[in-house]
Amino acid sequence: MVCCLALNPFADNKLIVFFGSAVLLSVLLFLIGFFTEKALGFKPWDFSNNLLNIGSYITLPYALLLGIIGVMFIDLAAPFLNVFLSLIPVALSVIVVLSVCALILIDYILSMITTVKLQHRIKELKNVSDFSDSYLTAEKITELESNYNKLFTENIIRRRLVSAFPDLKHTAYLKQLSDKIEEIKSDNMREYTQAYENKQEKPFAFGFCFTKLFYLFVFGSLIGTIFETVWALVMEGGFEVRVGMVYGPFIPVYGGGACLLTAVLYKLYKLSDTLIFVISAVLGGSFEYFCSWLQEALFGTVSWDYSDATFNINGRTSLLYVLIWGFLGLVWVRYLYPWLSKLIEKIPKMTGSVITTFLVIFMIFDAFMSVCAVYRWSQRDSGVAASNVFQEYLDETFDDERMGILFPNMQNVNESALSSGANSSDTDS
């Protein structure tokens, strides 16, 4: 509208329209940004990181873009709109214009009221006790984070404001609040790991690092094998070797699950048992589902199928196993991880480096041979003969009998589907 009123007389001169639009619209954006920041305490847009910016409210490339938009509007959009509007009866035009203006005004008023209330809520959160250097409980941290998130999600207008003006979430106080929450989490970790000022004093695999995660993966894979063996013995009444790799008692799904739970929860271990259980259940169930899908996508096989279980999700996981993941996650975070973390850090640095190097090489080799053996097993099942020396070695070393012992529950996807169909037919009968 500004461009039409001011520049329509110069519509035939594209150069004047271009520069006029660039200047007028840039000034308009500058004024809106400036007064919004002064009145409400946040910038609706911020170009401070861009070159050739003016007060961080507008930048030269954006101004040139506005000039192009102005030319396109006056040259293309305005004539079309004039023709279209001429077809509408005058009375209807007045009603439409007044209705649109009323909606814009209402929207503006509601947005202003919501923003002012939001600023008031932000000030309410700024309590001295919230920012004291004394220890804060997990409940207090949860309350702070909850109040912080609710600021922007309590109603549709706030969600719309944040969507339109993302910088609203980055005012000085909110950044302070977010940083303080992270600081509190870090301070709480002092009960989990000892603090060291000198880097040289830190023990082997100190804190949250790749080396410690790798050891947790190995331990988690080993613990998973023990758990699955005991589960088969107690629940199914027979001893059964359940592993996920051809060398060693390792089930990578449990190792990966242990790493995932640690990465998500190791700073939040002071949360209530209920929260840790729920988070572990969701993460574990999702991870189990993903691993099943990945195995099927890569090899066309599955190692577990819960299609017959109650409340299963595509046969890849079920409510029972989700709850088991929740229990395992709680035990892991409360007891196993703290114990394992301290145990790993007691390893001498030189010895730890040698052991780590050996284990990394071994696990990579084990994973490679496991993938090759499973792939070759699938090929043999499809009648594909060995075509080279390595495949012949796999056929001799990891024949069908041995693979059946190592992976008793692994089956082809088609066979699994047929088995499920047969079970359903038997049930129907």
Side-chain angles (χ1 to χ4, degrees):
M1 186 175 69
V2 173
C3 291
C4 284
L5 291 175
L7 301 174
N8 202 47
F10 310 97
D12 294 333
N13 192 324
K14 302 296 187 294
L15 193 61
I16 293 178
V17 173
F18 172 76
F19 283 107
S21 299
V23 172
L24 286 174
L25 295 177
S26 296
V27 170
L28 181 63
L29 288 181
F30 182 93
L31 293 175
I32 293 174
F34 176 80
F35 286 111
T36 301
E37 183 181 10
K38 295 302 179 184
L40 302 177
F42 76 95
K43 293 181 178 180
W45 46 80
D46 187 359
F47 295 105
S48 56
N49 295 324
N50 297 80
L51 297 175
L52 304 174
N53 71 82
I54 303 174
S56 74
Y57 302 112
I58 192 66
T59 182
L60 180 59
Y62 200 77
L64 297 177
L65 177 61
L66 292 175
I68 295 173
I69 292 173
V71 172
M72 293 177 64
F73 182 80
I74 291 177
D75 238 24
L76 302 175
F80 171 77
L81 288 174
N82 289 333
V83 173
F84 176 74
L85 293 174
S86 65
L87 301 176
I88 302 176
V90 176
L92 182 59
S93 298
V94 173
I95 294 173
V96 170
V97 170
L98 291 177
S99 300
V100 171
C101 289
L103 287 174
I104 293 174
L105 182 61
I106 293 171
D107 182 52
Y108 178 77
I109 293 173
L110 288 176
S111 298
M112 290 293 293
I113 293 173
T114 301
T115 306
V116 171
K117 285 185 176 180
L118 189 58
Q119 294 292 323
H120 181 67
R121 284 287 306 279
I122 289 172
K123 289 180 181 178
E124 286 180 351
L125 270 180
K126 193 174 182 180
N127 188 286
V128 176
S129 62
D130 290 347
F131 290 94
S132 64
D133 292 329
S134 59
Y135 172 78
L136 293 182
T137 63
E139 289 75 15
K140 192 63 178 178
I141 295 174
T142 304
E143 181 185 349
L144 278 173
E145 290 183 313
S146 176
N147 290 337
Y148 171 72
N149 291 326
K150 282 182 179 178
L151 286 174
F152 310 104
T153 58
E154 278 187 337
N155 57 57
I156 189 171
I157 299 179
R158 288 190 186 182
R159 291 195 292 270
R160 191 170 141 259
L161 273 174
V162 173
S163 177
F165 306 112
D167 288 336
L168 181 61
K169 296 183 70 172
H170 302 292
T171 59
Y173 168 69
L174 291 180
K175 186 177 186 305
Q176 180 187 5
L177 174 60
S178 179
D179 292 344
K180 188 62 181 179
I181 290 173
E182 291 303 317
E183 180 185 335
I184 292 167
K185 291 179 183 178
S186 299
D187 288 343
N188 286 348
M189 285 304 295
R190 291 175 183 173
E191 290 189 19
Y192 238 8
T193 55
Q194 186 176 351
Y196 293 90
E197 295 183 2
N198 190 341
K199 186 177 179 181
Q200 301 301 323
E201 296 177 356
K202 291 181 179 180
F204 173 74
F206 176 73
F208 184 74
C209 60
F210 170 79
T211 304
K212 179 166 286 181
L213 273 181
F214 172 72
Y215 276 93
L216 293 177
F217 172 81
V218 174
F219 279 117
S221 300
L222 178 60
I223 292 171
T225 301
I226 297 172
F227 173 79
E228 285 287 343
T229 302
V230 173
W231 179 269
L233 191 62
V234 174
M235 301 301 294
E236 299 178 13
F239 178 80
E240 190 175 72
V241 177
R242 291 188 176 182
V243 294
M245 306 177 83
V246 293
Y247 297 116
F250 306 111
I251 299 182
V253 173
Y254 286 91
C259 291
L260 180 62
L261 292 174
T262 303
V264 174
L265 294 172
Y266 85 107
K267 278 190 176 182
L268 302 174
Y269 74 104
K270 280 188 172 292
L271 291 176
S272 66
D273 289 351
T274 303
L275 281 176
I276 290 181
F277 178 87
V278 172
I279 294 172
S280 300
V282 173
L283 287 176
S286 301
F287 185 70
E288 184 179 33
Y289 187 100
F290 171 77
C291 290
S292 174
W293 171 85
L294 186 64
Q295 179 182 342
E296 180 180 341
L298 293 178
F299 306 109
T301 61
V302 290
S303 293
W304 57 87
D305 184 2
Y306 306 133
S307 299
D308 296 330
T310 306
F311 302 115
N312 74 86
I313 304 175
N314 295 334
R316 303 188 189 282
T317 189
S318 68
L319 178 60
L320 173 62
Y321 284 91
V322 166
L323 296 177
I324 291 174
W325 273 108
F327 170 76
L328 292 177
L330 181 59
V331 173
W332 176 263
V333 172
R334 284 282 182 264
Y335 305 105
L336 288 179
Y337 172 71
W339 175 72
L340 284 173
S341 178
K342 293 176 182 177
L343 182 66
I344 294 168
E345 291 176 3
K346 288 181 180 179
I347 301 174
K349 288 186 177 181
M350 185 62 69
T351 304
S353 299
V354 174
I355 294 174
T356 303
T357 303
F358 170 77
L359 277 177
V360 168
I361 294 174
F362 171 75
M363 294 301 286
I364 292 174
F365 172 75
D366 195 2
F368 172 76
M369 292 300 294
S370 299
V371 170
C372 291
V374 170
Y375 182 72
R376 183 60 198 141
W377 187 22
S378 177
Q379 281 190 321
R380 287 197 304 271
D381 189 54
S382 301
V384 180
S387 59
N388 53 55
V389 176
F390 180 62
Q391 290 185 351
E392 291 176 357
Y393 169 78
L394 292 175
D395 288 347
E396 293 176 4
T397 308
F398 303 105
D399 56 19
D400 293 349
E401 183 180 356
R402 183 175 179 182
M403 293 297 287
I405 295 174
L406 291 174
F407 308 108
N409 295 318
M410 184 178 293
Q411 54 186 319
N412 188 280
V413 175
N414 295 328
E415 293 177 359
S416 176
L418 289 173
S419 176
S420 299
N423 291 336
S424 299
S425 299
D426 293 341
T427 304
D428 295 339
S429 299

